[in-house]
Structures are given as C-alpha cells and as structure tokens.
Amino acid sequence: MRALRASVLHCVADPGEASDPRAFECFEDGLLVVEGGHVADVGPADALLSKLPSDAEIVDCSGKLIVPGFIDCHVHFPQLDIIGSFGAQLLDWLNQYAYPVEMKFADPDHARDVARAFVDELLRNGTTSALVFGTVHAHSADAIFEAANARGMRVVAGKVLMDSNCPEALRDDPESGYAESKVLIERWHGNGRLGYAITPRFALTSSREQLESAGRLASEYPDVWIHTHLAENHDEVEEIARQFPDSRSYLDVYDRYGLLRERAVFAHCLHMDDEDRSRMAGKGGAAAFCPTSNLFLGSGLFDLPAIRAAGIRCGLGTDVGGGTSLSLLATASEAYKVLHLQEHALPASRALYLATLGAAEALYLDDKIGNFETGKEADFVVLDFEGSELTARRTAAAESIEEKLFALMTLADDRNVASTWILGERATGTAS
Ligand code: GUN
Ligand code: ZN
C-alpha cells in the first residue's frame, strides 16, 4: 500500500452540468491511497492517515496537486514529426504534410522509434491513456501497442483503413484492410490494458466497399472501438456531399455503414446540425474536441454546449500533428478560448472533466479510469505549481485551488508535470 499526500482534485460528474457540488471534488490537504495498482481510498489526509497500516509507504508531495491521468481522445502518433507545419487547411495539409510523413512508416523500425518517442512524450505531459491513429501499415499498430504495453499504459489504437483519394503508397483495399484489422484485433484487443479501434481515416479516403467491410468488422466485434474524423472542415464537408449525394449528412454516411454505435469516437464534430447531434447521442457515439487543431488548421469552433445539451459523450483530443501540443493542459487552455469566441465559459473544473472523466466516458472506460473512485486503476499526475518562476508567482497569488488549476491550464508546460504514475507506480519524473 502506498499513499500520496498533496492537494487532490478529481471529477465525479460534469461540473458544467451537475447541480451536485461534489461533481468537482477537492481535498486541499489530501491523501490518495493506492494498493495493487488501484485506488484504495481518497480523502482528507488527517482523516485517512490514521487508518493506514503501519507499513504503508507515504509519498509526501505536499504543496503539489494530484489529478487523474489525462486521457487524449484523439491523436495521431505517426504525425509527431510534422507538428506545427505552416500554412494549409485540412485537405492541403493532408497532402503536403500528413501523407508524406506517414509514408515513412513503411519501415517498421521507424514506426517503432516514433512510437517509443510518442508514448514517452505523452507521459512527460501527464497523459496516461489515449485513443491513437496509426498509419495504413499494420505494423504501425503493432509498434504503438508494443510501446504502450512496455509502459503499462491503457491505450486504444488501430491501423488506418484508406483505399481511395490518397497516395498509392498509402492504400490498402477492402479485403486486406479487413483481414489485417482482424489479425490485429485478435492479437491486441483485450491484451493487458490495450484495446483495438477500427480506424477508417475519414469517409473521403474509403470506398463504399471499404466502409461496408469496416461496418462488417464492427458488427463482428461489438466491443472494439471505432475511430474516425467527422465534419472538420468546410471543403471536406462539401466534398462528402458530392461523393455521397444519397446521405443527408456526413454523419449519416457513417451511420449507414454501421459505424455509428457505442464506442465510436468522432474527432472534431464541428459542422453538424441538431438532427445529427441527437442521432449521435441516441446511438452512443462520442465527440473528441480538438481545439488546438481546429484553430491551427482554421477548421472552426466546437460547440460544446450544443454537444452536451444533446447528450453526447465528449472528451478533449490533441489531434497532433494537426494539433499543436500533446499537453492536455495546453489543449484545455485553447478549449477555453474556443468557447470564449462563442461567448461561453470553460471553468477549470469542467476543463479537468473533459481531460479525465469526460474522456473516459467518451471511450466507455469510465468504469476503469477517469477519477479516483475506489477500485479504479491508479493512473495519475503530480502537478507542480512551482514548475516555472511564473507559475509559482501566479499560483501563489491565487485564492482557491480552482483558480490555481486555471492558472496552470493557461500557463503550464511539462516543467509543471512533476511525475506521471501508471497503476500506482511512478513512470516519469521525481516523486515530490
Ligand atoms: N481527416 C482525415 N485525416 C486527418 C488527419 O490526419 N488529421 C486531421 N486533423 N484530420 C483528418
Ligand atoms: Zn485527427
């Protein structure tokens, strides 16, 4: 048994909605108790310390802040090396930057190198779980699963399905994409903490035959994830309408092929109407809100209030390399600005929800991760208010823990991540 003493924050519901004041639970002088890799207890230190067995290890992180490990609902590991590429909107950006860098993954050694660097970068930023795109190459999925497994991380990933409107070197076909995905599902889904996502890139790069075979796979494996992009960019949406004139909307294309269901996660969801939103909610699909990408690629502004009012599950995604940071704190800060542009607010408590419990709900993993309820897996981050001179000054001037969290969300970088813990064991950094 191990107990960490620090300020402890977590969400038990969406603080943006719930009237329950416990939606955002805060223990200023708190204790997080872990045993066998799971949460044994959380609460005020003075009440819990006296109940601990005498041989329990106490890790003193006083003055720091413990929150649940961040969960990235949408990210492309192969795009690590093109993050921050100048100038283009989505369709040009894919051709100029994303496809060329993904071609390098024909080499399995390159895929393994990037996968290792990627998961280490996640941990450095306090991210303990993610839903991850590979490339079209089956071994790209092997590479990310091996790297995550070596670090004990809960990761869901998949090989991309794409057979049209893209470079020849990045195409599979409906049969090979189906067969390779099936092998990967059998190899990795439910293997330790890993899960498989059927990953059609987006409806523009899959033939009808491929969408149909992806839907067949989804019906054969109802507990695997589905991961794709939806309604990100105006030109993309117009092209979808041209290519699928018989569908009422972009979402309808996926729905017709059986790709809208529980455990289906759609990145972006910017250009949707009320009917789409209520259909997505009714079928249990989830939205990944990717603000740094949406601003960087000039795609549009995510309407969080409309998404949540419809009852859609939602978490934050970094969408690197269209997104500009692997930090979910930095991503939350851009989410705040995206909502501000639409005359809404995003309190730090709700931002924390979107990066933890909300993301776990979007991934249907909230029985396992996302907060510190007893029995959940003990993935967490120790944040250091004093990681930089500026954050030390700003947080010292704050009057509440929520104000300090907001300051971190606005100002923090990886200097403020003191350590990241997987199943109760330190994965990076120093303890206190
Ligand atoms: N839509 C299809 N592929 C991609 C991708 O790689 N990144 C983003 N942001 N959108 C996409
Ligand atoms: Zn993406």
Side-chain angles (χ1 to χ4, degrees):
M1 186 175 277
R2 172 178 286 152
L4 291 96
R5 185 172 191 173
S7 295
V8 180
L9 285 180
H10 72 151
C11 295
V12 294
D14 179 354
E17 289 170 353
S19 47
D20 179 359
R22 280 190 59 246
F24 179 64
E25 202 166 43
C26 168
F27 306 102
E28 287 258 10
D29 179 15
L31 203 69
L32 175 65
V33 186
V34 300
E35 188 170 24
H38 292 249
V39 175
D41 212 343
V42 67
D46 56 0
L48 295 186
L49 278 169
S50 56
K51 291 202 294 184
L52 287 181
S54 56
D55 61 346
E57 178 196 354
I58 312 275
V59 183
D60 186 10
C61 302
S62 298
K64 296 191 171 59
L65 174 66
I66 295 180
V67 296
F70 299 130
I71 302 169
D72 189 339
C73 283
H74 176 68
V75 61
H76 301 249
F77 94 84
Q79 297 176 5
L80 194 66
D81 296 341
I82 51 147
I83 187 169
S85 292
F86 175 78
Q89 287 215 351
L90 177 65
L91 300 177
D92 292 331
W93 177 87
L94 287 171
N95 286 314
Q96 275 182 45
Y97 301 114
Y99 295 155
V101 83
E102 292 186 20
M103 284 185 205
K104 297 184 184 168
F105 285 69
D107 173 4
D109 288 337
H110 178 69
R112 275 192 289 273
D113 275 355
V114 178
R116 280 194 286 261
F118 173 81
V119 290
D120 286 340
E121 204 59 36
L122 291 187
L123 291 171
R124 215 184 331 278
N125 283 286
T127 299
T128 50
S129 284
L131 175 60
V132 188
F133 256 68
T135 63
V136 72
H137 314 94
H139 58 247
S140 73
D142 290 320
I144 188 67
F145 283 129
E146 281 160 12
N149 206 27
R151 289 152 186 82
M153 295 168 74
R154 184 170 280 290
V155 160
V156 179
K159 159 213 141 52
V160 169
L161 300 169
M162 51 198 289
D163 70 347
S164 18
N165 295 319
C166 63
E168 201 61 50
L170 285 178
R171 290 185 193 197
D172 56 7
D173 60 58
E175 293 72 36
S176 68
Y178 173 90
E180 288 175 357
S181 301
K182 208 170 170 112
V183 169
L184 290 165
I185 291 170
E186 298 292 340
R187 185 178 299 151
W188 294 111
H189 185 69
N191 178 342
R193 302 184 84 197
L194 306 174
Y196 194 80
I198 300 164
T199 310
R201 181 172 211 117
F202 64 153
L204 282 187
T205 45
S206 284
S207 63
R208 287 169 186 265
E209 292 70 32
Q210 182 163 71
L211 291 170
E212 193 274 323
S213 75
R216 190 149 35 89
L217 208 48
S219 70
E220 287 167 9
Y221 293 97
D223 67 336
V224 306
W225 283 263
I226 297 167
H227 186 196
T228 190
H229 296 91
L230 172 71
E232 175 177 5
N233 167 283
H234 281 297
D235 292 344
E236 170 206 18
V237 172
E238 276 175 26
E239 193 52 37
I240 290 284
R242 264 195 293 277
Q243 288 198 22
F244 299 91
D246 45 337
S247 283
R248 78 162 291 280
S249 68
Y250 196 159
L251 182 68
D252 185 47
V253 175
Y254 292 131
D255 196 13
R256 282 179 185 218
Y257 290 101
L259 296 169
L260 173 59
R261 62 148 162 82
E262 292 184 359
R263 292 177 183 248
V265 179
F266 299 89
H268 307 302
C269 302
L270 299 183
H271 311 292
M272 292 168 80
D273 60 14
D274 285 343
E275 188 174 329
D276 276 345
R277 280 189 283 263
S278 83
R279 202 191 301 183
M280 186 182 277
K283 296 225 169 164
F289 175 13
C290 306
T292 73
S293 169
N294 298 159
L295 296 172
F296 189 72
L297 296 178
S299 302
L301 302 177
F302 184 82
D303 190 345
L304 181 69
I307 289 277
R308 293 297 288 169
I312 297 173
R313 294 160 185 259
C314 181
L316 287 174
T318 64
D319 194 28
V320 163
T324 52
S325 172
L326 283 171
S327 161
L328 279 156
L329 289 170
T331 303
S333 180
E334 298 306 286
Y336 172 86
K337 296 168 195 168
V338 161
L339 293 180
H340 236 183
L341 281 168
Q342 301 171 93
E343 298 180 20
H344 299 299
L346 181 63
S349 55
R350 194 178 210 190
L352 181 68
Y353 167 80
L354 292 173
T356 56
L357 182 62
E361 289 166 355
L363 301 182
Y364 285 81
L365 287 172
D366 49 307
D367 58 332
K368 297 186 172 62
I369 53 176
N371 65 12
F372 297 135
E373 275 169 14
T374 303
K376 285 200 186 177
E377 296 165 353
D379 291 349
F380 55 91
V381 198
V382 181
L383 297 173
D384 185 358
F385 296 117
E386 299 178 348
S388 75
E389 191 78 30
L390 183 60
T391 56
R393 294 187 69 87
R394 177 63 187 88
T395 54
E399 286 174 3
S400 69
I401 194 85
E402 188 168 0
E403 189 183 341
K404 286 188 186 192
L405 180 65
F406 189 78
L408 275 191
M409 170 179 141
T410 310
L411 299 170
D413 55 38
D414 55 7
R415 288 172 296 175
N416 299 92
V417 178
S419 53
T420 302
W421 298 64
I422 300 285
L423 292 175
E425 300 292 334
R426 193 166 60 234
T428 65
T430 51
S432 52

